[in-house]
Amino acid sequence: MAQIPSHVPAASYPSPAAVVQLLKPITWFPPMWAYACGAIASGAGMGDRWLPIATGILLAGPLLCGTSQAVNDWFDRHVDAINEPDRVIPSGRMPGQWGLAVAIAMSALSMAVAGLLGPLVFMAALCGLALAWGYSAPPFRFKQNGWIGNGVVGLSYETLPWITAATAALGHAPPTITILVALLYGLGAHGILTLNDFKSIRGDREMGVASLPVLHGPDMAARIACVVMATTQLGVILLLAQQGLSTGAALVTLVLVLQGLCMLRFLRDPEGKAVWYSAFGVGLYVSGMMAAAIALRESSLAAMTVG
């Protein structure tokens, strides 16, 4: 097993900056965005709901997602010592058992805030928290297999926040079309997670983590990621078109075409362009999510008016 570097002077507790770095604010965006999409897609009025919606976004991003990052870094500390030794735990800036302590404290805080938003949100948050721990921690450690682990994260980061927000805003389960769109975007996020695996191929291979680039090689993994992202968005386009939401379908089609152009460049050099594609292609992907959410909102408002 890889040894954690000890070149940094030992400290008895982490600095606030180290705690923030452990929670990785840059990763909070996807679930926060998905929660916002769900709230918008519900068609519920936002004027008197801004506080619970804002609290829900806080729960999805800094709290639950931040917790998942702390859990993952704690149980991945030996892999990170190979792949990214400058991270807070292997570098020594998060000493001793503090990484685990932060993960546990954030879990408790997440559930306390979820409890303020009602039983439906609490149960959804509990499910998300269980998946976060199961993804990284033994005995499940879903991330050991890229097919399973990436699917768990995609559903946790996209589908679950979207449906939770819509349910909380409406006070009941959202329409089937909303659930299906949220499910498709969560499944498509499997490809996004595969992109993230390209940066850690060496360490994953050494530590026995069967990510898709390790299982199938970088070229095939890149093709799989692109196919997964493209086909799920085609499903969204068909669902929107079937509901007569032609503008939303056209906008999602446009962002998919632009992603396709980016994919062509990515597929020519998967390892060299994975980070580049994550910046441009994923940005387009989440733009399509919002376009779909707005289309669903217009559909919901029209149905309320007719009703």
Side-chain angles (χ1 to χ4, degrees), residues 67 70-71 97-110 129 133:
T67 297
V71 172
Q97 303 286 309
W98 273 99
L100 179 60
V102 170
I104 293 172
M106 288 294 296
S107 298
L109 179 59
S110 297
L129 191 62
W133 280 85

Side-chain angles (χ1 to χ4, degrees), residues 16-150:
V19 174
V20 171
Q21 289 176 39
L22 180 69
L23 302 180
K24 295 188 190 67
I26 196 172
T27 67
W28 301 346
F29 172 77
M32 293 171 71
W33 186 261
Y35 197 97
C37 285
I40 289 170
S42 71
M46 301 294 167
D48 58 346
R49 300 287 297 166
W50 70 268
L51 182 57
I53 290 172
T55 305
I57 292 174
L58 174 71
L59 174 66
L63 297 181
L64 284 173
C65 184
T67 297
S68 74
Q69 297 302 318
V71 172
N72 186 62
D73 272 24
W74 173 254
F75 289 102
D76 261 12
R77 59 195 185 280
H78 298 293
V79 178
D80 289 339
I82 299 171
N83 290 325
E84 299 177 83
D86 289 333
R87 282 192 174 186
V88 290
I89 294 178
S91 70
R93 286 174 289 139
M94 181 70 63
Q97 303 286 309
W98 273 99
L100 179 60
V102 170
I104 293 172
M106 288 294 296
S107 298
L109 179 59
S110 297
M111 295 316 301
V113 172
L116 299 176
L117 295 173
L120 293 174
V121 175
F122 181 85
M123 293 305 298
L126 185 61
C127 178
L129 191 62
L131 291 174
W133 280 85
Y135 174 77
S136 301
F140 299 108
R141 197 159 165 77
F142 299 129
K143 72 174 297 174
Q144 286 292 117
N145 182 285
W147 286 105
I148 298 173
N150 289 357

Side-chain angles (χ1 to χ4, degrees), residues 164-191:
T164 300
T167 301
L170 293 170
H172 55 77
T176 301
I177 178 69
T178 297
I179 295 174
L180 291 176
V181 168
L183 180 61
L184 284 169
Y185 274 116
L187 293 173
H190 188 290

Side-chain angles (χ1 to χ4, degrees), residues 158-175:
E158 306 295 351
T159 302
L160 188 59
W162 186 312
I163 295 176
T164 300
T167 301
L170 293 170
H172 55 77

